[in-house]
Amino acid sequence: MARHKFVSLEVDKCVGCRVCEYVCSMEKNKAFNPTRSRIRMVRIYPYTNASINCRLCEDAPCVAACPRKALKQSEENGVILVNDELCNGCGWCIKACDFGAIQLERNKVVRMCDLCQTREGGPACIEWCPEKALELTSTDILAQRARIDAVERLVKATEEEKAAKEKAKAEE
């Protein structure tokens, strides 16, 4: 089964400028206000940044949690669609989201990243990121990268341990 693609952050590239938040808020709400963005950048001080946005989960728990059936997941691309007429802002979907990616709008309707469905060219945050730190990816790709990173760290640690042993042996 193909995994749904979502916006993901390459932490090594992100400088924390938050342009993505401003672009998203302008694209979705016609307001230059990052608190109305559907992506959030969080500084994990002092080391790195992280993005909080919808991961388009398979069998999304937010959809299952909605007592009014206001949320529906697109079979085509996994985007969570919100029926504004049915959503009353109860917040059950917000609590069900493992990623904290759902926001409650001023009109008491929930919103999350929809990959800029109505925008030609895909998500605005990806297009406008000055460091090209955002990309469309899937959980499978992220898992593969994590495995590669773990192997690289293991190889490096093994080489460092070998070098330390050789140095200790030479000092004897």
Side-chain angles (χ1 to χ4, degrees):
M1 171 196 298
R3 300 284 182 194
H4 299 141
K5 290 198 171 187
F6 54 90
V7 176
S8 179
L9 176 71
E10 290 185 55
V11 295
D12 293 343
K13 293 182 179 179
C14 182
V15 295
C17 67
R18 305 180 93 154
V19 166
C20 55
E21 291 180 348
Y22 287 99
V23 167
C24 180
S25 69
M26 183 58 76
E27 181 71 30
K28 293 300 181 182
N29 297 301
K30 306 299 180 232
F32 206 56
N33 181 348
T35 64
R36 301 196 58 207
S37 172
R38 297 180 189 189
I39 185 171
R40 301 266 194 264
M41 296 310 297
V42 178
R43 179 83 172 150
I44 303 172
Y45 187 78
Y47 303 106
T48 192
N49 298 297
S51 66
I52 299 174
N53 54 292
C54 184
R55 296 295 183 115
L56 307 177
C57 305
E58 304 291 326
D59 300 317
C62 60
V63 174
C66 181
R68 299 177 57 99
K69 306 292 183 220
L71 303 181
K72 180 180 173 188
Q73 189 166 28
S74 166
E75 290 181 22
E76 179 183 328
N77 58 15
V79 167
I80 309 299
L81 307 168
V82 181
N83 181 327
D84 292 3
E85 300 298 317
L86 295 176
C87 182
N88 67 353
C90 70
W92 286 33
C93 59
I94 294 170
K95 290 178 183 170
C97 179
D98 290 335
F99 298 98
I102 302 174
Q103 291 86 36
L104 185 61
E105 293 269 316
R106 294 176 187 168
N107 62 356
K108 301 292 185 210
V109 173
V110 295
R111 295 285 183 245
M112 67 283 296
C113 178
D114 65 0
L115 301 178
C116 292
Q117 288 290 296
T118 58
R119 182 178 189 275
E120 200 170 303
C125 58
I126 292 174
E127 180 182 335
W128 286 91
C129 178
E131 299 299 321
K132 303 298 179 208
L134 296 171
E135 65 179 345
L136 279 180
T137 193
S138 69
T139 54
D140 292 340
I141 293 168
L142 290 179
Q144 181 180 20
R145 286 184 188 156
R147 288 189 295 273
I148 291 168
D149 184 53
V151 168
E152 288 173 350
R153 284 185 284 137
L154 181 60
V155 168
K156 183 179 178 183
T158 303
E159 289 171 352
E160 289 171 356
E161 184 178 328
K162 182 179 175 183
K165 284 181 181 178
E166 288 175 1
K167 182 179 177 183
K169 192 174 185 180
E171 291 175 355
E172 290 179 350

